[in-house]
Amino acid sequence: MPDTQAPLFAGRSFRVDYDGLSAHNSYSEDGGTIRYAIVAGPYAGASGEARCQWRQVGEGVYAISWQEADGATVVHIDDFIGGHSQTFFTAADLSFHRMQGPLSELAE
């Protein structure tokens, strides 16, 4: 992580809605762990927790990456101020996906 200051998304939960896939992502207080749950689409029901790494790339914009237990790799470029997410992920079956869509905070 770039410094000791927690990222904007730390301790918060968000929903991402891509074309054909929606997920809930919840981040630890330090931003170093993500809990994810796919709530719609072909991977619905998949969930887990993973260590993540992040880099701030603009005001409120972060590149966040992690590897899931099944080997899937995920990279998000999330604009937490503008409410937009882009993702690039390789699923466990080695299929590669590029998606984008709205990002909204979940009430907890």
Side-chain angles (χ1 to χ4, degrees):
M1 284 181 240
D3 57 39
T4 58
Q5 184 178 6
L8 181 64
F9 57 85
R12 298 166 67 189
S13 297
F14 298 87
R15 178 182 175 104
V16 290
D17 289 299
Y18 307 119
D19 186 25
L21 188 147
S22 296
H24 292 175
N25 295 326
S26 298
Y27 298 94
S28 63
E29 290 297 322
D30 67 356
T33 302
I34 183 171
R35 286 187 334 269
Y36 58 88
I38 309 300
V39 298
Y43 301 103
S47 65
E49 185 173 307
R51 293 290 299 160
C52 61
Q53 294 186 355
W54 56 270
R55 298 288 182 270
Q56 185 170 1
V57 296
E59 185 177 349
V61 181
Y62 293 82
I64 307 165
S65 64
W66 66 91
Q67 186 167 26
E68 298 176 356
D70 66 1
T73 58
V74 182
V75 177
H76 276 217
I77 307 297
D78 286 346
D79 180 347
F80 292 97
I81 294 173
H84 187 78
S85 176
Q86 295 181 64
T87 188
F88 308 89
F89 73 93
T90 302
D93 66 4
L94 301 182
S95 60
F96 184 67
H97 306 268
R98 297 174 188 92
M99 295 188 241
Q100 61 181 333
L103 169 73
S104 57
E105 188 161 9
L106 293 168
E108 292 208 66

